[in-house]
Every structure is written in C-alpha cells, then in structure tokens.
Amino acid sequence: MFLPTIKKVDIKDLNTKKLPKHIAIIMDGNGRWAKQKGLIRAIGHQNGTKSVRETVEACAELGIENLTLYAFSTENWNRPKLEVDTLMKLLVSSLKKEIKTLQENNIKLSAIGNLKTLPSKVNKELSDVIKSTENNNRMTLTLALSYGSREELLNTVKEISIKVKNNIISTENIDESIINEHLYTQNLPDVDLLIRTSGEQRISNFLLWQIAYAELYFTKILWPDFTKQHLYDAISEYQKRERRFGKTSEQIS
Ligand code: IPE
Ligand code: IPE
Ligand code: MG
C-alpha cells in the first residue's frame, strides 16, 4: 500500500530571523494520555514533566526569548483534592530537579498567577528558583500557576483604581501601557504563538489580553507525547502565516 511520506520539519528549515519572541503553551491532555494507557491521571502528569523539559531545552536552543507554560489554572482548583495535591507535589519535585537544567542553560524562571493561593512549600521552592536564576538571560521561562486571565484583569483594575484614588495616576493617563505594567506579565512582550495540545480548541482563561494578536496553533498530540519535533512543526506553521495586524497584504510585503 502506498503511504504518503510526511516531511518532518528540520530545525535547519526554520527561519532564525522569523522566530516568535514569545511562545505560550496550554499543556493539555495528561489525563487522557494516562487513560489511553490504562494508567492513573497522576502518571500522565508525571510524563508531562518530560515534555516540559524537552520543550524548554528546545526553545532555549532555538533562541526563543520567552516561553510561558500554563501549568495550573484558577479553575483547576476545582479538581479532586487528590489530583490537586499530586500536581502541587509534582511541582515542588520538578522545581527541585530542574534548577540545574535552568542554570546550565542560562534560563531565568518567573511565575504569573495568584501565587499567594499556592501551598507554602510550592511558594518557597518557586521563590528559591526564581531568586537563583534571576541573573540568567538566555530565555525567560514563565510558569502560569493558579493563573486565570480574568483574575489577572480584575487584579489589574483594582491596582490601577487604588493608584487613581491616591492621585498616583490620573484617569486620563490610563492607556494600554499602564494596563500592561499592572498585569502579572508586566515585563513580557505580547504572545506571538499560542500552542494548545490535546485537540481542544479553546483558550481556557489563559492570557486573554496578551494573545490579542497571537497566532493560534492547535495540535491533537497529547502533552506527554509532545516533543521537539512538534515544537518545530508549530514554529514552521507560524512562519508560513502572514501577520497583518489589521493592514493589507500589500502593506506588509
Ligand atoms: C493538563 O492535562 C494538565 C493540567 C491541566 C494541570 P489535563 O489534566 O487537563 O488532561 P486532560 O485534559 O484531562 O486529558
Ligand atoms: C487548561 O487545561 C489549564 C492548563 C493546561 C493548566 P484544562 O484541561 O484545565 O482546561 P479545560 O477544562 O479543558 O478548559
Ligand atoms: Mg485538560
């Protein structure tokens, strides 16, 4: 039987001058991956950490400046307690384990979300790794933890209102840059490429403001099966798109 050969994107095929400055990933499908194999969900999450490592290393190697990973949403608190506890434990052990990889690859760790709601053990490990990688400058890896975009926007509105009330900012001066400065993502550029694995085609409360003009890429691959190759495929697809930002095609070329 004739099977068409699918040409895989080689790292050399990627245009290094047209790399996304900021890639964000909704790492989805751990539970289904485990279920397909007759395993418990926790094993899916465990295997997901391998994809995290591979993706982080691949992005750093390529020269991606910012990678943001959706690891735990505000809505994920509603999962069974056992699963939440497993995820929090996995986070602590991964942070402990990966600090070496981050240092070796000159990667700076950062976190966004309503971090005070995380267990103290997670917060401690997180702040240790953030502190010890703060001078690294090859790539910024941001973990979205207890993150919800609506919560972030709500928090932004509250912070700005307090400043208006205290005459630190005047209402007339509120512009997009003021809003950016008050978001959890304050130092990050807008997302260029948003990847979601597992076949779901939704945003699930992730970076609503920051993805205003991102290119969206959905793949059926479940997160624990996601490899460098899939990342290259996504970037290759991104590089084929024409980003017009409201202009005409003629204006762009
Ligand atoms: C993503 O995988 C990990 C988190 C949301 C923490 P899921 O756990 O959502 O896996 P599915 O979607 O049930 O397959
Ligand atoms: C989004 O995945 C959150 C993370 C990947 C951390 P979910 O699995 O929680 O999203 P829904 O429930 O399918 O929208
Ligand atoms: Mg899911």
Side-chain angles (χ1 to χ4, degrees):
M1 193 178 69
F2 174 75
L3 286 171
T5 45
I6 300 163
K7 196 185 167 293
K8 284 185 177 167
V9 175
D10 192 89
I11 187 167
K12 294 193 290 295
D13 301 333
L14 298 176
N15 180 350
T16 49
K17 292 193 185 75
K18 254 181 87 177
L19 288 172
K21 278 197 165 41
H22 186 179
I23 298 180
I25 308 182
I26 304 175
M27 311 183 288
D28 197 17
N30 294 352
R32 276 163 284 167
W33 183 92
K35 195 172 180 184
Q36 279 178 5
K37 294 184 156 48
L39 303 166
I40 54 163
R41 295 178 60 87
I43 308 290
H45 295 311
Q46 241 170 40
N47 278 272
T49 62
K50 291 184 193 160
S51 302
V52 171
R53 174 187 278 187
E54 179 156 342
T55 305
V56 169
E57 284 183 348
C59 283
E61 271 164 29
L62 272 173
I64 305 297
E65 290 165 24
N66 298 284
L67 172 66
T68 301
L69 301 176
Y70 203 6
F72 193 87
S73 72
T74 45
E75 289 74 24
N76 289 148
W77 289 114
N78 299 321
R79 291 194 179 191
K81 186 178 181 303
L82 184 65
E83 177 157 347
V84 172
D85 290 349
T86 306
L87 283 165
M88 293 301 147
K89 274 189 199 137
L90 202 58
L91 211 75
V92 174
S93 62
S94 299
L95 285 166
K96 277 199 169 96
K97 214 161 79 196
E98 297 308 329
I99 185 159
K100 204 165 147 249
T101 320
L102 296 179
Q103 292 295 22
E104 282 167 3
N105 289 289
N106 193 13
I107 298 165
K108 175 180 171 147
L109 187 82
S110 162
I112 53 171
N114 193 359
L115 303 179
K116 60 181 184 295
T117 59
L118 294 166
S120 56
K121 265 193 178 169
V122 174
N123 256 322
K124 190 194 168 299
E125 211 55 55
L126 200 57
S127 40
D128 283 357
V129 183
I130 290 173
K131 184 97 190 71
S132 64
T133 60
E134 69 184 349
N135 295 320
N136 293 352
N137 56 17
R138 186 180 183 194
M139 180 175 90
T140 299
L141 166 64
T142 304
L143 297 181
L145 292 168
S146 191
Y147 176 88
S149 197
R150 288 187 170 181
E151 193 277 328
E152 177 183 42
L153 289 167
L154 209 73
N155 186 61
T156 300
V157 171
K158 282 184 189 162
E159 281 190 10
I160 297 175
S161 319
I162 293 169
K163 289 190 183 167
V164 169
K165 194 172 144 206
N166 295 329
N167 295 317
I168 299 166
I169 301 174
S170 68
T171 307
E172 304 76 62
N173 289 339
I174 299 176
D175 58 9
E176 290 190 12
S177 69
I178 300 256
I179 294 180
N180 273 325
E181 283 161 26
H182 290 82
L183 292 169
Y184 295 138
T185 49
Q186 47 185 273
N187 298 315
L188 290 173
D190 280 351
V191 176
D192 295 308
L193 170 62
L194 174 74
I195 299 172
R196 181 170 190 149
T197 59
S198 90
E200 306 300 353
Q201 300 191 11
R202 55 176 169 263
I203 303 300
S204 301
N205 204 8
F206 192 39
L207 303 173
L208 299 179
W209 170 277
Q210 299 87 339
I211 60 165
Y213 252 110
E215 295 299 325
L216 309 181
Y217 180 87
F218 299 105
T219 168
K220 290 206 166 105
I221 298 293
L222 301 174
W223 179 250
D225 289 328
F226 192 85
T227 63
K228 278 179 195 212
Q229 186 58 57
H230 300 115
L231 176 79
Y232 301 156
D233 292 347
I235 297 175
S236 168
E237 161 73 26
Y238 165 86
Q239 293 188 332
K240 286 189 198 123
R241 300 204 190 156
E242 182 181 58
R243 302 187 76 196
R244 290 191 288 277
F245 296 98
K247 296 181 182 172
T248 67
S249 195
E250 289 70 27
Q251 284 177 295
I252 303 299
S253 58

